[in-house]
Amino acid sequence: MSDAKTNFVEKANTVAKDVFLAQLGLAGKAFEQSQELAKLTEEKIKATEAKYKDLYAKRNEIFEGLVSRGEQVQSSAIAKFEESKEQVVAKINETKTEATAKLESVKSEAVDARIKELRESLESNLEKVKGLVSRKSEDAVATEAAAS
């Protein structure tokens, strides 16, 4: 029995050693896989970081482009405002000149019409005065002739 016991113990030792080595192999395999996984994760992090930096740089480019475009729009709007302001001022001055000329024309026409009216009235009154003077002189002549 001693042989059987020895054989059993040797077999148990061999099985225990094999189990230990299998666990050690499993730990080694897990370590290697974790190393590969860490390496892949690190590569993905670096790739993601590169993409982030690229996007960040592009964001800055886009933002700066929009700022530049905004400056162009602003100067264009100011130029158009100044141009339209000058046009409005010129149009106001032109309208003012036209209105003044029209007012002078209307004034002149009104004055001319009033002068004509006064002239006609004066001529009419002058004719009346001449008629009265001539009657008075006829009356005076007739009175003198009757008195003589």
Side-chain angles (χ1 to χ4, degrees):
M1 229 169 94
S2 133
D3 251 357
K5 258 185 175 180
T6 311
N7 242 355
F8 179 73
V9 170
E10 282 180 17
K11 238 182 181 183
N13 279 337
T14 305
V15 169
K17 185 179 174 186
D18 287 346
V19 167
F20 173 75
L21 291 175
Q23 287 179 345
L24 192 58
L26 179 63
K29 183 95 169 152
F31 179 76
E32 286 174 1
Q33 286 180 348
S34 68
Q35 289 290 72
E36 288 177 17
L37 187 60
K39 190 176 180 182
L40 284 173
T41 303
E42 187 178 327
E43 288 173 4
K44 286 185 179 182
I45 287 173
K46 285 181 182 178
T48 303
E49 188 177 276
K51 285 180 183 178
Y52 170 76
K53 286 180 181 177
D54 188 42
L55 287 173
Y56 186 78
K58 284 181 182 176
R59 180 196 62 88
N60 285 341
E61 288 174 21
I62 291 169
F63 182 76
E64 289 170 5
L66 290 173
V67 168
S68 174
R69 179 69 178 134
E71 289 170 346
Q72 290 173 355
V73 168
Q74 180 185 20
S75 17
S76 174
I78 288 171
K80 284 185 180 184
F81 175 75
E82 290 297 325
E83 181 181 309
S84 67
K85 182 175 83 172
E86 290 172 7
Q87 289 176 349
V88 166
V89 168
K91 185 68 175 173
I92 287 173
N93 287 336
E94 181 182 323
T95 304
K96 178 183 169 190
T97 304
E98 289 175 3
T100 304
K102 208 161 230 182
L103 183 62
E104 290 300 320
S105 170
V106 167
K107 265 193 204 175
S108 177
E109 288 174 8
V111 167
D112 287 346
R114 184 69 179 140
I115 289 172
K116 184 178 179 182
E117 196 177 291
L118 290 173
R119 217 179 246 149
E120 289 172 356
S121 173
L122 182 63
E123 286 174 359
S124 168
N125 288 337
L126 189 58
E127 289 300 319
K128 287 179 187 175
V129 168
K130 281 182 184 176
L132 286 174
V133 168
S134 117
R135 267 192 239 144
K136 294 270 181 181
S137 78
E138 286 175 8
D139 286 344
V141 170
T143 306
E144 268 183 43
S148 4

